[in-house]
Amino acid sequence: MAVLLAAVLATIAGFGLWSHFRQADTSHTVIGISDSTKFTRAQLDDAGAVLLKDKRSYKGCTIDRISYDKQWSDDRLGDEWRSVEDNPGSGSSFHSAIAQYGMDKVIIFRSDFTCSGASDKGFSTGTTAGWEDLLAWAPADAKADRGWVWIDGGF
C-alpha cells in the first residue's frame, strides 16, 4: 500500500512539474478580430498569430481569448496620447510607440488567460482578463514578426 501511495504522489508531483514547464494551452483559444480601416484582414490575422505564438510561452496557463476591437483600440490609443500630451514630462510606451510609428500603425489587442499554479511569467493563479498587447506595424523593422513589432503588454 505504501508503494502504491508513493507512486501516486510521484505521479502527481511529476505532472505538476510537467505542467509548469509545458507551453501554454492554446487548443481552445478564441480569436476575435473586428474589421479595421487601418489594417487589412491579412495584417490583423498575422497580428493575432504573432500574439498566439508569443502567448504559448505562458507556461502553466491556458490562453482563453485574443481579441481586437478597432473602436476600443483607437479610443484607448487616443486617450493614452492625450494623457501624456496633457501632462508634459510624463510618458508611456503607448505614447512613445505612437510618436515613433504613427497612430495609424499602432494597435492594441486584448487577451484573457487562466493560469493554474505559478506561471513562469509571474501571473497569479486564476483568470487574467483584459491584458493589453501593444503592437506596431513595421515590416522593415528587424524585430518584426510577420510585419508586427511587439511593443509592450500589461494593464
Side-chain angles (χ1 to χ4, degrees):
M1 186 55 112
V3 172
L4 178 60
L5 180 59
V8 168
L9 291 175
T11 300
I12 292 170
F15 178 75
L17 285 173
W18 172 80
S19 66
H20 180 71
F21 293 108
R22 68 178 165 80
Q23 285 187 332
D25 179 3
T26 59
S27 63
H28 301 297
T29 303
V30 173
I31 298 180
I33 299 175
S34 73
D35 288 332
S36 172
T37 54
K38 289 172 36 171
F39 303 103
T40 67
R41 173 52 63 178
Q43 288 171 316
L44 293 170
D45 289 344
D46 283 347
V50 166
L51 287 174
L52 187 61
K53 182 174 102 178
D54 174 67
K55 293 192 182 311
R56 284 189 183 107
S57 70
Y58 288 20
K59 294 176 176 71
C61 301
T62 299
I63 309 306
D64 304 311
R65 180 173 179 79
I66 295 174
S67 62
Y68 166 71
D69 178 271
K70 179 198 179 309
Q71 190 62 55
W72 179 88
S73 176
D74 288 351
D75 289 349
R76 176 83 172 89
L77 290 167
D79 289 346
E80 190 69 26
W81 179 262
R82 284 185 298 280
S83 175
V84 174
E85 291 296 304
D86 291 345
N87 297 290
S90 66
S92 76
S93 56
F94 287 55
H95 187 272
S96 297
I98 295 166
Q100 180 177 354
Y101 297 102
M103 183 71 82
D104 63 333
K105 301 292 185 197
V106 181
I107 191 170
I108 304 172
F109 272 71
R110 288 184 286 185
S111 60
D112 305 333
F113 47 90
T114 304
C115 299
S116 56
S119 161
D120 68 325
K121 298 285 185 184
F123 300 119
S124 58
T125 300
T127 298
T128 297
W131 183 264
E132 298 177 6
D133 285 291
L134 180 65
L135 300 152
W137 176 251
D141 192 305
K143 298 179 288 184
D145 184 0
R146 295 183 170 199
W148 291 98
V149 175
W150 184 86
I151 306 296
D152 198 3
F155 289 111

